[in-house]
Amino acid sequence: MPTLRRSAPYALPIKFLQFGQGNFMRGFFDWQVDLLNERSGLNAGVVVVRPRGGSGSPLLDVQDGLFTTVVRGLDESGTPVSASRTISCVQREINPATMYGDYLSLAQLPDLRFIVSNTTEAGIATNDSDAFDDAPPSTFPAKLTRLLFERYTHFAGAHDKGLVLLPCELIEQNGPALKAAVLHFARLWQLGAGFAGWLEHSCTFCSTLVDRIVTGYPENAAAIEAELGYSDQFMVAAEHYYLFVIEGPASLADELKLAGANLNIRLVDDITPYKKRKVGILNGGHTALVPVALLAGLETVGQAVNDEQVGAYLADTLNQEIIPALPLPQDELQQFARDVLLRFRNPYIQHRLASIALNSWSKFAARIAPQLLRYVELRGQLPTRLVLALAATMRLYRGDVIALSDDAASLAWFAAGWAEVDAGSQTLLQLSQGWLANQNVWGRDLNQVEGLAQAVADALARIDALGMRGALQK
């Protein structure tokens, strides 16, 4: 079977520099650029840059930058859909560790306008050891600063050669965070006030929110290749749903040619509501579901959502306790929740509950606790399903259902606490009170929430006496 290769030379002007060659960027960002090229005439090529050295995997160049995306899931009506697309917008991949001269020369491209990145949450980091003359520096922000300075000097600080930066790392305010990291190295390397001014006035650092599950190389790749008629080592599978939110100037809509493209790309003045919606409903839904479903004997998200009892619990939790506590338009939240439940039901993705349970307490504090407290504030009573999720997570940390993975302090606390409960030297109420008092997790003493400790203890007792399904029924 032939390897996927181009039948014609590269033809697109390079408008995007993409730091990150992984599955997510290929199945999310490059897929959208390719559709913009087709639907609205964006006419944009992408050069992929590896943000870190040491990777021995082959460059996309071995397939002339081509790869296949396979989009699979449930559409808005719940109907299974599957479609493949050959992505042709990527023109080249560069590894600065071995191609540093080629990397710096990218700064001189006259059509270059956007830099997009996805270098993991730890990627936007600084140090005082990366040097200007390192070839290359170790961190992504240092490499980026070196490239931006090269562009600044090559074009003599021309305002129209500034760039728009679209970091996709999953951290708060990723735009300002990347800008601060670049300015750190500009100061460290003493690159001057002119360069700092160019960064401030000619470059735009946008915060973004990205949302799509990209599972990577599909498990049935051989069958797909047989149908397509070529082999593709970079094939990537993604869910049907996607959302790309950019907090930036309105002029970007014209530059990206969004009009008429019919893509779920939102250009907004404030990204905060979208982050709250995603964290509260998508991430919060996962966090509320996982301990309950695991204790009910289920293994995957799909099983849990399709389970009559557990699925109803999740839907009621979203609609009756999480959505009412979010300060956003309720009709938009209801639609987003429906989309989330369709995504959870995706028959093409086997998302194991145990893998989502990693570091449950930091997730619970960020995703569920704000809604729990807001619900109490609005309604003057406790949200019973979120309380059950809290108790179920505590019960999960007894350690007899799945292998736990969390910070050492939390694991040690629960090991000791449950041992005392088993020995009869501590009650479930005392266990509950002790954990709710952990300000390192909650940022405050949650025993101050009237009735919460007793409600959690009562839920723990019901789980113990009736099992999780009995507790759900109760």
Side-chain angles (χ1 to χ4, degrees), residues 47-274:
V47 169
V48 173
V49 176
R50 296 197 175 189
R52 295 179 298 277
S55 175
S57 59
L59 298 174
L60 287 163
D61 291 16
V62 301
Q63 292 184 180
D64 298 329
L66 297 177
F67 60 90
T68 308
T69 56
V70 182
V71 175
R72 306 181 293 189
L74 301 177
D75 66 13
E76 292 74 10
S77 66
T79 303
V81 293
S82 179
S84 62
R85 179 182 183 87
T86 302
I87 305 303
S88 60
C89 61
V90 175
Q91 308 293 285
R92 190 182 182 194
E93 182 179 354
I94 287 179
N95 184 356
T98 57
M99 309 161 70
Y100 192 57
D102 287 352
Y103 166 70
L104 287 182
S105 69
L106 297 172
Q108 302 177 18
L109 293 171
D111 295 310
L112 182 63
R113 178 58 176 153
F114 297 92
I115 292 182
V116 61
S117 64
N118 186 17
T119 59
T120 78
E121 292 89 325
I124 301 181
T126 61
N127 60 38
D128 291 335
S129 57
D130 275 337
F132 180 84
D133 292 328
D134 288 346
S138 63
T139 63
F140 156 58
K143 291 184 181 75
L144 175 61
T145 305
R146 188 67 180 82
L147 183 93
L148 290 171
F149 186 72
E150 188 77 10
R151 187 169 183 83
Y152 166 75
T153 54
H154 179 77
F155 290 105
H159 177 72
D160 64 349
K161 295 304 178 182
L163 300 177
V164 176
L165 294 103
L166 304 172
C168 297
E169 288 79 5
L170 299 179
I171 61 174
E172 286 295 318
Q173 294 295 305
N174 45 22
L178 182 58
K179 182 178 181 179
V182 169
L183 288 172
H184 165 84
F185 285 108
R187 289 190 298 270
L188 180 69
W189 298 339
Q190 300 180 7
L191 299 182
F195 178 55
W198 183 76
L199 291 173
E200 182 66 39
H201 301 294
S202 301
C203 296
T204 304
F205 291 78
C206 301
S207 286
T208 73
L209 180 145
V210 297
D211 189 3
R212 185 176 227 178
I213 297 172
V214 179
T215 55
Y217 194 71
E219 68 287 344
N220 62 334
I224 297 173
E225 287 178 333
E227 182 178 338
L228 295 174
Y230 57 76
S231 64
D232 180 1
Q233 64 178 307
F234 299 109
M235 186 184 301
V236 62
E239 68 171 330
H240 178 70
Y241 179 89
Y242 68 97
L243 172 66
F244 190 17
V245 184
I246 303 170
E247 183 180 285
S251 58
L252 291 183
D254 291 332
E255 289 199 62
L256 292 170
K257 295 190 179 297
L258 299 182
N262 194 30
L263 292 175
N264 201 18
I265 302 174
R266 310 283 183 89
L267 186 62
V268 301
D269 295 327
D270 182 9
I271 207 166
T272 305
Y274 293 90

Side-chain angles (χ1 to χ4, degrees), residues 213-465:
I213 297 172
V214 179
T215 55
Y217 194 71
E219 68 287 344
N220 62 334
I224 297 173
E225 287 178 333
E227 182 178 338
L228 295 174
Y230 57 76
S231 64
D232 180 1
Q233 64 178 307
F234 299 109
M235 186 184 301
V236 62
E239 68 171 330
H240 178 70
Y241 179 89
Y242 68 97
L243 172 66
F244 190 17
V245 184
I246 303 170
E247 183 180 285
S251 58
L252 291 183
D254 291 332
E255 289 199 62
L256 292 170
K257 295 190 179 297
L258 299 182
N262 194 30
L263 292 175
N264 201 18
I265 302 174
R266 310 283 183 89
L267 186 62
V268 301
D269 295 327
D270 182 9
I271 207 166
T272 305
Y274 293 90
K275 286 185 176 289
K276 287 184 176 180
R277 186 181 72 173
K278 178 177 182 286
V279 170
I281 296 177
L282 175 67
N283 304 125
H286 264 155
T287 303
L289 173 68
V290 165
V292 172
L294 283 169
L295 292 172
L298 303 170
E299 295 184 355
T300 69
V301 171
Q303 289 176 346
V305 178
N306 289 317
D307 182 272
E308 182 176 357
Q309 187 181 40
V310 176
Y313 154 80
L314 174 61
D316 289 344
T317 301
L318 291 174
N319 292 321
Q320 298 182 33
E321 296 183 359
I322 290 179
I323 287 176
L326 290 170
L328 300 166
Q330 296 293 293
D331 56 342
E332 293 184 15
L333 295 176
Q334 293 286 349
Q335 180 58 55
F336 186 73
R338 287 191 288 271
D339 290 339
V340 163
L341 292 176
L342 282 174
R343 298 171 69 186
F344 286 179
R345 289 191 175 96
N346 188 345
Y348 299 101
I349 296 177
Q350 300 300 312
H351 205 168
R352 298 191 64 80
L353 296 163
S355 67
I356 309 173
L358 303 178
N359 302 310
S360 288
W361 287 117
S362 61
K363 294 175 180 176
F364 203 102
R367 302 172 177 181
I368 298 293
Q371 275 59 258
L372 189 154
L373 297 173
R374 176 69 173 164
Y375 187 96
V376 172
E377 178 185 339
L378 292 173
R379 302 289 179 87
Q381 62 187 44
L382 293 167
T384 57
R385 295 169 187 82
L386 294 182
V387 169
L388 179 63
L390 175 54
T393 308
M394 292 182 65
R395 175 61 183 81
L396 193 66
Y397 272 59
R398 193 166 191 163
D400 57 349
V401 179
I402 62 170
L404 298 170
S405 178
D406 212 316
D407 66 276
S410 296
L411 295 175
W413 192 95
F414 275 104
W418 279 113
E420 291 182 20
V421 170
D422 292 339
S425 58
Q426 179 175 231
T427 66
L428 290 175
L429 177 59
Q430 290 171 320
L431 181 76
S432 174
Q433 290 171 331
W435 187 242
L436 293 178
N438 190 336
Q439 297 193 38
N440 289 330
V441 171
W442 309 113
R444 56 175 287 189
D445 184 352
L446 290 185
N447 287 294
Q448 296 172 358
V449 180
E450 184 178 356
L452 179 58
Q454 185 65 60
V456 171
D458 291 344
L460 284 168
R462 286 195 297 275
I463 294 170
D464 184 49

Side-chain angles (χ1 to χ4, degrees), residues 11-27:
L12 296 172
I14 303 303
K15 297 182 181 180
F16 290 93
L17 209 62
Q18 173 182 311
F19 284 87
Q21 77 280 13
N23 291 325
F24 179 79
M25 291 302 279
R26 287 186 286 115

